Every structure is written in structure tokens, then in C-alpha cells.
Amino acid sequence: MTFKTIAIIGAGNMGESLIGGLCQNGYPADLIWASDTSAQKLQYLNETYRIHTVSDNTAAVSSADVVIFAVKPQIFKAVAMDIRDVIFKKRPLIISIAAGIRTAYIRRLLGDDIALVRAMPNMPACIGCGATAFYAIETVSVDERNLAESILRALGMVVALPDETALDAVTALSGSGPAYFFHMMASLENAAIALGLSSDVAHLLTIQTALGAARLALESNHSLDELRASVMSKGGTTEAAINVLEEEQISVIYKKAMLAARTRSQHLAEQLEE
Ligand SMILES: NC(=O)c1ccc[n+]([C@@H]2O[C@H](COP(=O)([O-])OP(=O)(O)OC[C@H]3O[C@@H](n4cnc5c(N)ncnc54)[C@H](OP(=O)(O)O)[C@@H]3O)[C@@H](O)[C@H]2O)c1
């Protein structure tokens, strides 16, 4: 990986996850700058990771090759306007992880010819186990694209998307996805308690089962359907449970839920640009 100077604007949950992941992967701390409104947060980041910290966004980006927008979508415009002049002058690679802020809007704010990558990470990024999808606009060179990908890898696994509209589906899948799994795990846990298990045992077995299933799915060459079939024997307990889920049309419910999430993502993007 080529080491470039990175400025991270907004050192909250995602900003710190990026900083922590980069430092853990051996990225030189003295090439990382972070800016935030909280002096306390900046002091903590400086002491913990030995990175440069500043309260002034312009100062953070003034010597940066890569600028990462990790602020809330609602303040994206104000932050962009604040650092626009430096961006015009320095022309860094820009990576935005702000949910729902589309590249056309960012180009309207910062110039049509900027090199821009829009990414959608998810919450497990805070332990380096995120799933991030990104889209690079046509002005981004191959080297810049590789650089963006290697930086985003600090958050976990990364996939590239050929078109930006897929980011709404990504938001519905991996962006919101951790909540679906937490919801499902809580439902299983509560059902196990109702069957007589203690809450501690139900909690641990639920989480380890989810982790084991996810790891097996990741490491195995078999499809999800094949893996499921390998747990189900004819007339057995798993089949009895899966039959109930299918009778209740759980797949249709998930499809409806994800459609609702994607529609909401599209609407939120429109609202943010008004
Ligand atoms: N968290 C997730 O799971 C997740 C998933 C996908 C995408 N994202 C996206 O990632 C971005 C960051 O999310 P987050 O969860 O990390 O939010 P966050 O924890 O609120 O972090 C944002 C940080 O920016 C700071 N900030 C506010 N105004 C600023 C300014 N003018 N200049 C510089 N910094 C400023 C905030 O300080 P204050 O707290 O003092 O306001 C806060 O520390 C969002 O756009 C979100 O859509 C997050």
C-alpha cells in the first residue's frame, strides 16, 4: 500500500474505526490527521493513536492527499463549503462515507472534476469486521481507486460496485443488516428462554451459533441453501422448524423489509439534497 497523507473529517464512531484500523494495519500515524468539534475527543485520539488532531477542518485537509468525510449527512454541506477552497487548490482524493449523500450532490458542492469515492460501511466496522461497498466516479484513476479500497479495508471487508444506485440496495442489506441479525438473535434468544433455558445460556448459545454459521458460510465452498440442507435431516428437528418459517413466508417478509429500507434510503437522499 502506498502511504499518503489522510485527513479524516469527523472523528466519531466511523472516524475512529478508520483511524484504529489504519494504525493497526501499520499505517504510519504521522500521516493521519483528524478533525472534530470535540477537543476532548481529539486529545484522546492523539494520546491513543499518536495521530495529528486539529479542531479546524481546513487545517486538517491543507496537506492531505486523501480527505475522508466521516461527518453526519445533515452537516455534510456545511463542512464541504468550509473546506471547498482547499479542495479546489489541493485536489485530493475524496472519500465520503456519509449515508445518503450522492456523488452528483458532492460534485455540485466541490466541483465536477474531483476524484470521488462514495462508500457505505456498516456498524461492525468498529471492530474491524465491517462490510463496506464503494462506488468510484469516472474521474478516479486506478491508483486512486486501489488506494481508496486499501484505506476502506481498515474497516473490514470491501466490495466495489459498478454503479451508484446499487448503494441503496447495499444500505438495505449490509448497512441496515446488523440490525436484522440482532433482531433475529433476540427473537431466538427469547424463544429459547420460553423453552426453559436460562437467559445467560440462551444469550451465549444464540451468539455463538450466529458467529459459527456466519464463519462457516464465509469459509465453506457450499451455497447457503446447501449448508442449510446439510443441517436438516428428513423428518428431523431442523426441518420441523424450517417448515414453520416457510409456512409463515419468512423470505417474503425479508424481501418486503429490504424493499422498505431501500425506498427509505432513496427518499432520505432526496431530502438531504433539498
Ligand atoms: N455508524 C454507522 O454504523 C455508519 C454506517 C454507515 C455509514 N455511516 C456514516 O458515517 C458517518 C459518520 O457516522 P458516525 O456514526 O461515525 O457519526 P458520529 O459518531 O456522530 O461521528 C461524527 C463526528 O463528526 C463530528 N463533527 C460534527 N460536526 C463537525 C464539523 N463541523 N467538523 C468536524 N467534525 C464534526 C461529531 O462531533 P459531535 O458529536 O460533537 O457532533 C462526531 O464526532 C455518517 O455520515 C454516517 O451516515 C455510519
Side-chain angles (χ1 to χ4, degrees), residues 35-233:
S35 63
D36 198 277
T37 41
S38 158
Q40 205 184 346
K41 179 98 200 191
L42 292 175
Q43 188 186 349
Y44 155 79
L45 291 171
N46 174 262
E47 286 170 5
T48 308
Y49 302 104
R50 300 281 159 210
I51 60 163
H52 302 280
T53 54
V54 277
S55 55
D56 177 9
N57 293 336
T58 309
V61 301
S62 62
S63 56
D65 303 304
V66 183
V67 173
I68 303 177
F69 281 82
V71 289
K72 289 281 187 206
Q74 293 75 7
I75 62 155
F76 186 97
K77 183 179 178 186
V79 170
M81 299 313 274
D82 191 28
I83 60 173
R84 186 156 73 155
D85 289 346
V86 194
I87 302 277
F88 282 158
K89 214 160 89 190
K90 290 280 301 174
R91 318 205 66 74
L93 168 66
I94 293 168
I95 302 175
S96 168
I97 61 164
I101 303 282
R102 294 184 284 207
T103 58
Y105 181 69
I106 301 174
R107 292 172 97 166
R108 280 211 300 279
L109 296 175
L110 296 177
D112 199 41
D113 55 350
I114 49 168
L116 172 63
V117 167
R118 179 183 163 200
M120 183 67 196
N122 68 0
M123 192 189 166
C126 65
I127 55 160
C129 205
T132 301
F134 77 92
Y135 166 73
I137 67 169
E138 75 286 353
T139 55
V140 174
S141 69
V142 173
D143 283 351
E144 287 169 330
R145 190 189 167 89
N146 290 341
L147 176 64
E149 190 167 345
S150 56
I151 290 171
L152 291 168
R153 228 176 275 130
L155 298 174
M157 184 264 302
V158 180
V159 292
L161 298 173
D163 73 280
E164 186 174 5
T165 53
L167 276 168
D168 289 315
V170 165
T171 304
L173 176 60
S174 50
S176 304
Y180 311 154
F181 286 101
F182 295 142
H183 187 276
M184 188 179 81
M185 286 194 279
S187 301
L188 293 176
E189 188 180 309
N190 288 332
I193 292 167
L195 293 180
L197 292 187
S198 72
S199 55
D200 285 357
V201 168
H203 186 67
L204 271 177
L205 289 180
T206 299
I207 293 172
Q208 182 60 30
T209 304
L211 181 67
R215 276 193 58 187
L216 184 59
L218 198 63
E219 289 170 22
S220 163
N221 291 325
H222 296 289
S223 70
L224 294 174
D225 279 341
E226 285 166 347
L227 287 171
R228 175 172 58 83
S230 67
V231 186
M232 280 169 65
S233 51

